[in-house]
Amino acid sequence: MTSFPEGFLWGAATAGHQIEGNNVNSDWWAREQMMPGMELSGDAVDSYHRYREDIRLLADAGLTSYRFSLEWSRIEPVRGHFSKAELAHYRRMIEFCLANGVTPVVTLQHFTTPQWFAAGGGWDGSEALELFCAFVEQACTILDGVEWVVTMNEPNMQAAIMTAMRHLAASGGDWTSPTVEADGDDKKKQTHSEFLTYADPEIGRLFTRIHHTAREIVRARTNAKVGWTIAAGALTAAPGGEEKLRQIRYGKEDVYWEGSRGDDFVGVQAYSSQQVDANGLIPHPAHPDNTLVGTAYRPDSLAMAVRHAWEVSDHTPILITENGIATADDTQRIRYTGEALQGLIGAIADGIDVRGYLHWSLLDNFEWGHWEPTFGLIAVDRDTFARTPKPSLAWLGDVAQRNALAAEVPA
């Protein structure tokens, strides 16, 4: 057995829009109805009403932490009008976690924004910082007892989406989802890979200013550790691609890792790895082990991402806020997770300060326009909403209870 540090967090993560259902005031709800090829979130998996069952399943399996998000568009459906009922709902979620021995990791903004915010220019709007921070102030009123707060999820992916949407508006292409590779024969569709190529460092600096302002509000009004989470590509250079790698990685990631300096932690979110040549990102090669979102099976990407984040963030403590695999084969999920954790142990042994591991995702859910990709430790019947824990949930719970990984990775 190989042990993890004492007090290591073990858990799973979700995002409100992907699991709650009927998030009708959000920009994503509106976007789903406009974008060709996108499926609708609808009732999602009804976790808004069933969060107690979901948290109990997590705790009963032996996990000790649950990362979930607050839905800004529920809390502030109309600009300047904050719902006391919705704030109370999320406070009940926090209290239920605490009562069940589960450490809540609360994300204040996970991709979605209110429709009124998006209509006013979104993150490009002149009042974006003030509007987001007004919401953060309200969110802080329910965070008593919360030890970990994420200001926003993957601002680098949000920035890439902004840039991609501008590009597509100019070129007349279609776009469906930030998480699923487009068919290689459909040249008009924006691919997941191209999100990296079009990342704009200036948008990253904008998000950094917003994050730092929100961070100081959370610090002033709570006792929580505060940071943000970054989508890590674990990119590597193919022969001749070294300069292009530096260019792409800076806009896509490094400006954000730099922005985490001074935070209490930074969330690392890694799933796969990809090469860069002189022309840009090399598409994921076809392989039977490729995931349901088209990416390569690369559990080593987690340790690669952690090492890079540690270096560029100037040794900011790390929390793994997402890591997982889109697969219908739960045996493959266990194998992937075991191999990823082995790599993580190696990074910790080399002196990198890693505070916990939160698997993506607790539940099979709405994958930003698609229902087919299944990341969950728990399957959900979308007609009855019945939850069925997969073997991977018990396996990860056993790792959590031992705070250690078996010497042999599951076959």
Side-chain angles (χ1 to χ4, degrees), residues 301-314:
S301 64
L302 180 60
M304 294 165 63
V306 164
R307 293 177 187 279
H308 185 72
W310 179 249
E311 177 184 353
V312 182
S313 70
D314 197 21

Side-chain angles (χ1 to χ4, degrees), residues 43-378:
D43 291 325
V45 293
D46 196 33
S47 194
Y48 185 88
H49 299 105
R50 300 167 191 263
Y51 69 84
R52 294 178 182 86
E53 178 183 0
D54 296 336
I55 294 168
R56 283 197 194 101
L57 286 170
L58 177 149
D60 289 349
L63 299 178
T64 59
S65 184
Y66 181 40
R67 178 184 171 220
F68 62 91
S69 68
L70 311 185
E71 274 298 326
W72 181 5
S73 65
R74 292 184 188 271
I75 292 171
E76 192 181 6
V78 177
R79 177 176 173 170
H81 294 268
F82 296 93
S83 169
K84 293 181 174 61
E86 293 294 353
L87 286 166
H89 166 80
Y90 290 112
R91 180 61 200 173
R92 286 191 293 272
M93 289 186 67
I94 291 167
E95 291 178 348
F96 194 79
C97 284
L98 296 172
N100 284 271
V102 172
T103 298
V105 177
V106 176
T107 303
L108 303 184
Q109 189 265 335
H110 195 126
F111 279 158
T112 58
T113 67
Q115 288 188 36
W116 59 262
F117 179 81
W123 300 111
D124 273 337
S126 60
E127 298 178 281
L129 186 150
E130 291 77 13
L131 292 170
F132 179 61
C133 288
F135 160 67
V136 171
E137 289 178 355
Q138 291 293 317
C140 285
T141 65
I142 63 168
L143 297 181
D144 185 49
V146 174
E147 298 178 34
W148 302 84
V149 172
V150 174
T151 59
M152 56 180 63
N153 179 78
E154 294 187 347
N156 55 332
M157 186 61 78
Q158 297 191 62
I161 291 171
M162 289 168 60
T163 310
M165 295 294 282
R166 293 174 185 170
H167 173 79
L168 290 170
S171 65
D174 294 330
W175 174 76
T176 55
S177 171
T179 56
V180 179
E181 291 281 356
D183 187 330
D185 295 329
D186 190 342
K187 303 305 182 185
K188 291 187 71 180
K189 289 194 182 211
Q190 182 76 21
T191 71
H192 179 69
S193 299
E194 288 171 325
F195 279 114
L196 298 170
T197 303
Y198 296 131
D200 181 348
E202 283 306 311
I203 302 178
R205 295 184 182 99
L206 165 68
F207 274 115
T208 296
R209 289 192 294 273
I210 295 171
H211 163 60
H212 285 175
T213 306
R215 177 186 71 187
E216 296 315 308
I217 293 170
V218 174
R219 283 177 169 168
R221 295 171 183 245
T222 78
N223 294 317
K225 303 176 187 69
V226 60
W228 62 356
T229 73
I230 308 302
L235 302 176
T236 60
E242 292 78 10
E243 181 55 37
K244 193 68 171 179
L245 169 63
R246 283 190 288 272
Q247 174 193 340
I248 290 175
R249 190 163 59 187
Y250 185 77
K252 192 273 175 183
E253 289 185 34
D254 288 0
V255 67
Y256 299 90
W257 299 128
E258 292 173 356
S260 68
R261 296 171 184 173
D263 289 357
D264 300 304
F265 69 94
V266 62
V268 171
Q269 311 199 157
Y271 294 88
S272 187
S273 177
Q274 201 165 358
Q275 283 194 313
V276 177
D277 64 16
N279 298 313
L281 283 134
I282 300 173
H284 292 280
H287 191 276
D289 271 351
N290 279 10
T291 74
L292 292 175
V293 293
T295 53
Y297 177 91
R298 291 293 300 273
D300 59 327
S301 64
L302 180 60
M304 294 165 63
V306 164
R307 293 177 187 279
H308 185 72
W310 179 249
E311 177 184 353
V312 182
S313 70
D314 197 21
H315 296 179
T316 300
I318 286 170
L319 180 65
I320 307 306
T321 40
E322 291 183 20
N323 173 248
I325 181 171
T327 180
D329 180 354
D330 201 53
T331 301
Q332 186 187 41
R333 176 172 293 103
I334 293 171
R335 177 164 56 92
Y336 173 95
T337 308
E339 291 174 356
L341 289 173
Q342 275 197 338
L344 187 62
I345 285 174
I348 294 170
D350 287 341
I352 298 177
D353 184 359
V354 182
R355 304 293 179 86
Y357 175 88
L358 308 179
H359 190 83
W360 184 269
S361 174
L362 180 64
L363 304 160
D364 286 343
N365 57 33
F366 176 71
E367 192 52 45
W368 303 111
H370 301 270
W371 281 100
E372 181 185 6
T374 47
F375 283 89
L377 300 169
I378 299 170

